[in-house]
Amino acid sequence: MVRPLPPLRLANRPARRLFLQRHALSDAPRGTSVADLVRRIGFVQVDSIATVERAHHMILWSRDPSYRPETLKTALEQDRHLWEHWTHDAAILPMETYPYWKHRFARDAERLKGSWQRWFREGYEAQFDRILNHIAAHGPVTSADVSKDETRGTGGWWDWHPSKTALEWLWRTGQLAITRREGFHKVYDLTERVIPAPLLQAEVSADAKADWACTSALDHLGFGTPAEIAAFWDALPRDAVRAWAQDALARGEIVEIAVEGADGTQRPALARPDVLARAEDAPPPPSRLRVLSPFDPALRDRARAEFLFGFHYRIEVFVPEPKRLWGYYVFPVLEGDRLVGRLDAKAHRSEGTLRVRAFWPEAGVQLTQSRTAKLMAELDRLARFSNCNRVEFLPDWQRSFLPPKP
């Protein structure tokens, strides 16, 4: 039997605006510290691909055009306002979230043990004490520092040498922390040398952790299903979120609503009781164009982005080139509260050139004179951010058609 939709209805446009406002895409927070910006978003995914700039830098820059990567480095490595660990993937998090991760360390130690023993070469568990003692005596290390005498594999993530695997295990289970990065290489140190003592010593009960994970996820999303709430931090199973929701509904802390999608369909979700007023008060995002990272928090849940914005997006990094519809690393483009296109561009820093291969408008979006001017302004900003001094367009870069969905 199909469950009837809740009577409280959130229309699509205010839903989009609330969602973008909660993801810090409704304004340009100039003057906001990078740590406060990460707090507002929740976390920033770390990724190594630097087609234009790495994902964590792109995410912050798209919200604050004055952002520069060195400010993130300072917040992480000197001020210790942020730290790096794991949500659904490697991420930069507000430092005050650390106590909630203690439960995750224990969970990951149990959950990963079997799979890592299947995936990685034998011998990494025997390295734990040696590595911890070495770091205690000699200070922070990279993978190269502790694996000089080990046989190299293929270099793929599935064939790390045992000491690299041991470092990652000790990091994922909380015994080590990332004190800095050199280039993009992690530098590991004892956790007590990285995490401030009050947070290192703080204890959070399992119930308090579950309540925090659910309420903070819902507040960052604006509204969400139990599956979306569970996926935000990837900290709880869905059954635990459903149990929290049942209790929170009974206490009147949340309500059930129906959210309208871009195609007019409606889906049930959970939200705070004042969600309709919050959505109506959410400011319209700036009308300028913004180039977003493929790993932007607003787009991480591809199904949610398609429901809210009618934007079907899949990254094609791992798709063989002849089978790609768009390109290796294509950037979604936001205009106001709409996703209006996708951009294929690459920074050739040795040439000082941001090279644009293609721009595809979404169906029904015209590349008008006004929109073209906004695109040129954003590409100039993007070029400067990626340390390029010019933008170059390949022939036929303006695409007037939309390839079919896969």
Side-chain angles (χ1 to χ4, degrees):
M1 185 176 72
V2 177
R3 185 182 177 188
L5 288 167
L8 203 61
R9 177 178 173 272
L10 179 58
N12 181 249
R13 188 154 210 183
R16 293 200 313 264
R17 290 188 173 182
L18 177 62
F19 182 71
L20 293 171
Q21 186 263 338
R22 295 299 173 92
H23 285 77
L25 285 166
S26 290
D27 52 21
R30 293 179 180 273
T32 300
S33 73
V34 67
D36 283 342
L37 187 50
V38 174
R39 290 186 185 102
R40 184 168 169 189
I41 301 168
F43 63 88
V44 171
Q45 184 172 338
V46 176
D47 192 77
S48 61
I49 299 174
T51 302
V52 172
E53 184 51 275
R54 290 193 169 103
H56 40 295
H57 298 312
M58 285 284 297
I59 291 165
L60 295 167
W61 170 81
S62 63
R63 288 153 173 80
D64 183 358
S66 68
Y67 165 79
R68 292 297 178 265
E70 55 269 20
T71 61
L72 180 61
K73 187 176 181 67
T74 299
L76 273 165
E77 299 176 9
Q78 297 179 27
D79 299 335
R80 301 298 189 196
H81 293 159
L82 303 169
W83 70 299
E84 187 175 334
H85 211 264
W86 205 266
T87 55
H88 68 294
D89 209 318
I92 293 165
L93 297 141
M95 183 61 81
E96 57 267 25
T97 63
Y98 178 82
Y100 300 101
W101 253 249
K102 292 183 178 181
H103 297 272
R104 189 188 189 101
F105 299 150
R107 183 195 74 174
D108 284 358
E110 182 65 28
R111 188 171 69 171
L112 297 177
K113 185 174 183 179
S115 57
W116 281 39
Q117 287 175 341
R118 293 193 306 271
W119 293 344
F120 298 111
R121 279 189 273 167
E122 295 180 356
Y124 71 88
E125 292 169 300
Q127 302 293 326
F128 292 165
D129 288 343
R130 180 184 71 84
I131 287 174
L132 289 170
N133 291 335
H134 178 87
I135 294 174
H138 303 288
V141 300
T142 65
S143 173
D145 294 329
V146 295
S147 59
K148 295 175 182 176
D149 299 326
E150 292 178 326
T151 303
R152 300 287 174 176
T154 63
W157 71 269
W158 63 92
D159 198 20
W160 291 339
H161 49 69
S163 292
K164 165 65 175 174
T165 309
L167 282 170
E168 287 291 299
W169 176 272
L170 292 167
W171 171 55
R172 289 289 298 272
T173 58
Q175 298 173 73
L176 294 178
I178 296 172
T179 186
R180 64 181 185 276
R181 284 185 181 254
E182 294 177 352
F184 198 68
H185 297 289
K186 299 186 188 83
V187 181
Y188 305 83
D189 202 353
L190 299 179
T191 302
E192 58 264 31
R193 294 175 180 168
V194 176
I195 305 299
L199 294 172
L200 188 69
Q201 296 162 7
E203 296 295 336
V204 175
S205 70
D207 287 345
K209 178 266 182 93
D211 185 67
W212 170 83
C214 293
T215 56
S216 62
L218 183 60
D219 289 339
H220 281 298
L221 293 169
F223 49 87
T225 65
E228 290 168 343
I229 293 168
F232 186 84
W233 299 113
D234 191 25
L236 294 170
R238 293 184 189 181
D239 287 347
V241 177
R242 292 190 186 99
W244 165 84
Q246 187 174 13
D247 290 343
L249 284 165
R251 294 192 298 267
E253 296 172 0
I254 62 174
V255 295
E256 294 180 297
I257 65 170
V259 180
E260 182 185 33
D263 62 358
T265 60
Q266 297 182 51
R267 295 182 185 176
L270 303 170
R272 294 293 195 181
D274 61 351
V275 62
L276 297 187
R278 296 272 187 176
E280 289 300 328
D281 290 343
S287 62
R288 72 176 181 87
L289 266 66
R290 300 190 193 206
V291 175
L292 303 182
S293 164
F295 297 106
D296 195 282
L299 295 164
R300 179 173 70 87
D301 187 332
R302 309 298 194 205
R304 184 185 177 100
E306 187 165 2
F307 173 70
L308 278 179
F309 298 95
F311 187 76
H312 181 92
Y313 181 80
R314 300 294 184 272
I315 194 167
E316 297 182 306
V317 167
F318 302 110
V319 176
E321 186 170 1
K323 295 183 179 181
R324 291 175 188 152
L325 293 176
W326 313 99
Y328 172 75
Y329 198 80
V330 172
F331 301 88
V333 177
L334 179 71
E335 180 184 34
D337 59 13
R338 298 174 64 199
L339 287 159
V340 297
R342 47 197 95 199
L343 174 75
D344 186 357
K346 183 176 182 179
H348 297 264
R349 277 172 275 273
S350 62
E351 304 171 24
T353 300
L354 177 69
R355 190 161 293 134
V356 176
R357 294 182 60 187
F359 175 80
W360 292 272
E362 286 295 282
V365 175
Q366 299 297 317
L367 200 54
T368 61
Q369 184 175 354
S370 172
R371 187 169 282 126
T372 300
K374 290 194 286 186
L375 178 61
M376 296 301 124
E378 179 72 348
L379 290 172
D380 283 341
R381 287 189 288 266
L382 185 61
R384 292 194 297 273
F385 177 64
S386 58
N387 293 316
C388 295
N389 52 35
R390 60 188 293 268
V391 180
E392 177 185 284
F393 298 89
L394 297 188
D396 300 322
W397 69 274
Q398 296 186 48
R399 308 294 175 91
S400 58
F401 61 93
L402 185 72
K405 293 181 180 180

